[in-house]
Amino acid sequence: MEISVLWIFALACVALAATPGPDMLLIAARSASHGTAAGFATLAGIQIGTYGHALATALGLAQLFAVYPLAYDIVRYAGAAYLAFLAFRILTAPQAPLAQATAAGEAPTAAAIAPMFRQGLWNNVLNPKMALFVVALFPQFVDPAGPSIVLQMLLLATILNAIGLVVNGAVIVVSARAGRAIAGSPRAVTAMRWFLACVFAGLALRLVFDARR
């Protein structure tokens, strides 16, 4: 792939990553409520999901959403149901081990941050608009006469993820520091749980009512 083409794609990715959206809101909320490790775990799940969308596009699977509206709606409603379930769990479950470790200044375990990774992954995979975005943007920068289409798609996804890591990494650090500043207040902790639940509920409603454009 030509370097000039990759630079143009990178500029488009910078504009995308710097624009606040559902992924950034989820990452910021997780970081504020559970700390830096949770924020990066959520981001890692989202970025693995991006690779999945790129691979599906390269294999022609993601085009199903453009051709069959029913397939789009099935994934959309499944994603909304999953996010609504997460909102319910946040409000009804006891304080998570990760939150307890963060408040105590301990290093969270891999088992504690694994749910955050899975939530980020499924939030991305079950967002059909992300699939449509990849279908709309990535093929414009792929050379059909060049090397493997799959490898080109994965390269573009890597560039998008690298830029997203820088931008969202800054969001994670700032949000986690803000969360630690108010972690000593029980009222603030409760408010943060409600805020995170509202984030998931809002993302669910967005999937339900935000029809494909």
Side-chain angles (χ1 to χ4, degrees), residues 30-94:
R30 268 301 180 202
S31 302
S33 61
H34 288 80
T36 304
F40 278 108
T42 303
L43 176 60
I46 290 172
Q47 295 197 329
I48 293 298
T50 300
Y51 280 118
H53 285 301
L55 183 59
T57 300
L59 297 177
L61 300 178
Q63 279 82 349
L64 282 173
F65 294 139
V67 178
Y68 298 103
L70 179 60
Y72 177 91
D73 288 336
I74 289 174
V75 175
R76 182 162 62 102
Y77 288 125
Y82 174 72
L83 292 169
F85 169 73
L86 291 181
F88 174 77
R89 284 289 303 275
I90 289 169
L91 294 178
T92 58

Side-chain angles (χ1 to χ4, degrees), residues 21-28 30 38-54 83 115-127 130 134 157 160-161 164-165 168 172 200 203:
D23 284 346
M24 184 180 290
L25 179 60
L26 175 61
I27 291 167
R30 268 301 180 202
F40 278 108
T42 303
L43 176 60
I46 290 172
Q47 295 197 329
I48 293 298
T50 300
Y51 280 118
H53 285 301
L83 292 169
M116 314 301 172
F117 171 83
R118 290 196 297 269
Q119 290 168 11
L121 174 63
W122 286 114
N123 180 66
N124 186 277
V125 169
L126 293 176
N127 183 359
M130 181 62 189
V134 173
L160 175 60
N161 282 342
L165 177 62
N168 290 307
I172 289 170
F200 280 117
L203 292 175

Side-chain angles (χ1 to χ4, degrees), residues 47 71 111 156 174 186:
Q47 295 197 329
L156 295 177
V174 172

Side-chain angles (χ1 to χ4, degrees), residues 1-14 138 140-143 151-160 163:
M1 302 180 72
E2 296 182 5
I3 298 300
S4 59
V5 173
L6 295 180
W7 273 112
I8 296 173
F9 178 77
L11 290 175
C13 291
V14 170
F138 280 33
Q140 299 180 42
F141 299 92
V142 169
D143 181 8
L151 292 180
Q152 291 186 63
M153 285 287 191
L154 293 179
L155 174 60
L156 295 177
T158 300
I159 294 173
L160 175 60
I163 293 173

